[in-house]
Amino acid sequence: MFDRTVLGVDPGMATLGMAAVARGERRPAVAWAATLRTPSGLSDGARLRRVYAAVRQAIARHAPDAVAMERLMWGRNTASAMEVARASGAILLAAADAGLEVREYAPLEVKMAVAGVGNASKEQVRRALTLILGAPAVPEQPDAADAVAIAVCHLQQSRMRRLAEEAVR
């Protein structure tokens, strides 16, 4: 009925955070989290191939029910945003090849779901994750911790979305 395991992804060309988070009896549990770094000396195509391969490998290894990804928010740095957009495309393709649905969440949605406020700092989100998951479950790497937060957001949102769908039927 609800997604049991989700692969959370914090997209990026240079650094990609990923985390497999499972819905537990009492609270979510981090099954795995990692950060992929792609060498800046590689061509964009080679870096995107590594992003795609890493996501496909994570999907194969952890068998998630869905993929959750942070939605790109365009700011002043359009070059950086373009790299994140390209990486997001590789992630979408990897999920589609595996037959998985991808849900995208704005940073504000993730912060609201995890910390209860949309303008939460990274440290506030980290503290909230520690309360939700337990101290040892939160990765030290910032991009992996962001991926965990995205996955936790999805687990909360997917439950609400499915309950709303059932109420309409």
Side-chain angles (χ1 to χ4, degrees):
M1 174 186 242
F2 302 118
D3 292 337
R4 292 177 316 269
T5 303
V6 62
L7 179 66
V9 183
D10 183 23
M13 179 87 86
T15 308
L16 175 81
M18 295 181 290
V21 179
R23 183 182 305 283
E25 293 266 335
R26 295 192 174 119
R27 61 177 157 184
V30 178
W32 168 82
T35 299
L36 169 75
R37 296 186 198 302
T38 63
S40 60
L42 292 178
S43 69
D44 286 353
R47 292 173 95 182
L48 288 170
R49 184 178 294 122
R50 287 186 182 198
V51 167
Y52 172 86
V55 173
R56 280 303 307 245
Q57 184 178 36
I59 290 169
R61 182 173 293 141
H62 301 287
D65 301 304
V67 175
M69 177 171 64
E70 188 169 86
R71 182 179 299 126
L72 173 63
M73 303 305 288
W74 290 88
R76 293 177 193 260
N77 190 343
T78 56
S80 175
M82 185 56 89
E83 284 192 351
V84 173
R86 287 177 173 171
S88 295
I91 295 159
L92 288 167
L93 179 61
D97 281 352
L100 292 175
E101 176 183 359
V102 176
R103 291 284 181 171
E104 293 183 85
Y105 298 95
L108 180 121
E109 288 177 279
V110 175
K111 291 173 182 179
M112 284 292 295
V114 173
V117 291
N119 64 349
S121 68
K122 290 238 184 220
E123 187 52 41
Q124 288 171 314
V125 171
R126 187 177 220 26
R127 280 196 307 264
L129 282 175
T130 299
L131 291 173
I132 293 167
L133 303 168
V138 182
E140 289 297 318
Q141 305 155 328
D143 296 288
D146 288 349
V148 169
I150 294 161
V152 168
C153 173
H154 176 79
L155 289 173
Q156 291 177 357
Q157 296 293 327
S158 67
R159 170 176 255 165
M160 300 294 252
R161 189 173 26 263
R162 295 241 167 88
L163 288 173
E165 289 169 0
E166 287 177 8
V168 172
R169 288 185 214 155

